[in-house]
Amino acid sequence: MSFDPVRGRASKGWVSHTPSIVDRLRPCADGLVPFSVEFSPPRDAAAEARLWRAVREFERMQPAFVSMTYGAGGSTRDRTVRVTGQLAAETTLLPVAHLTAVSHRVSELRAMVGAYADCGIRNILVLRGDPPGDPMGEWRKHPDGVEYADELVRLVLDLGDFHVGVASFPEGHPRSPDLEHDTEYLVGKLRAGAEYSITQMFFDVEHYLRLRDRVTAFDAEQGAKPIIPEIMPITSLRSVRKMLQLSGSALPRELDERLARAAGDGPEEDRAAVREVGIEVATTMCERLIREGAPGLHFITLNFARATSEVLANLGYSVHARA
Ligand SMILES: Cc1cc2nc3c(=O)[nH]c(=O)nc-3n(C[C@H](O)[C@H](O)[C@H](O)COP(=O)(O)OP(=O)(O)OC[C@H]3O[C@@H](n4cnc5c(N)ncnc54)[C@H](O)[C@@H]3O)c2cc1C
């Protein structure tokens, strides 16, 4: 395989034999569905060591694929490409590289895709990203960049033999005027060539089911593409509330109250009690998602294996992680 950084595309005739994510979404024989996990780029050497402990734990559990999020800063980006490349070269895992358009001109986006191609990565989750600095602020595209994720989907696919996924939002993207427009824009990304979507985290399975219904009603062909639910096993109320601020998702009131009761009134939340509720809720959600025909389960891990492996063990997957 070779990628021409000047022309910004894979050399003619390059065909990668890396499996696509959709190839990996075959139902398991025991009534379970494939599972996958999301990692985040480590910020320093200690975080990188922790990430690799989690990677090796998950490697034993044979997830269908693993994804690596894409951060804002330049040095994080270099580390992201390096670590994602190592996942491809030094493990048995199938990596999906996230890529955002934030602060990038088109030539830089091409170079990033090239860097991933050179590491043997063919699966890319294409995202627009949020404004740098203040993620809730006004989005301004780079003057030489792209405005929406659908343009980036086309750009990546034009560069060579890649398999692309996109983000979907069961409760609607926070910047979408309404769910109808939100559905239209998601379908636009799928029509641009994305093969599947991974959802934002959610805590009411109904939101996922209604998203699936909306996409199918809007465009049956695109509605047939897998919508992979993203599951967050809650281990800290404070951090999940922070993560939710940006996401467009919310904790249902009853669950929020239950977690608050578990967290207690002390200066530090009772992490063990919160975690117990979080694991139970994630397990119940996954059981329902499997019954409702979800094509897979994608877990946010925060680079720890234990919470996800506990949920998987509750569901009947034969896994056991140490940390
Ligand atoms: C599974 C998942 C993984 C993620 N990983 C990362 C990551 O690694 N790094 C990171 O920085 N962020 C990540 N995000 C967050 C994501 O970048 C933000 O939610 C971002 O605000 C939206 O990205 P998008 O790709 O959905 O953008 P888009 O699909 O471009 O949508 C952005 C906004 O524009 C609207 N829109 C889209 N198309 C059009 C159009 N044609 N006309 C008018 N309006 C339109 C949409 O409704 C939405 O409000 C992830 C999100 C999810 C769900």
Side-chain angles (χ1 to χ4, degrees), residues 168-174 176 178-179 182 199-204 206-208 211 214 244 247-252:
S168 54
F169 296 83
E171 294 166 68
H173 184 269
S176 291
D178 51 45
L179 290 178
D182 195 80
T199 72
Q200 183 57 274
M201 68 174 110
F202 57 90
F203 295 94
D204 181 345
E206 285 301 318
H207 292 308
Y208 170 82
L211 167 70
R214 284 197 301 278
L244 284 169
S247 71
S249 302
L251 284 172

Side-chain angles (χ1 to χ4, degrees), residues 38-42 47 50-51 54 58 68 300-305:
E38 179 187 284
F39 297 125
S40 323
R50 178 157 61 76
L51 165 71
F58 280 116
M68 179 63 77
I300 298 178
T301 68
L302 307 176
N303 298 352
F304 288 101

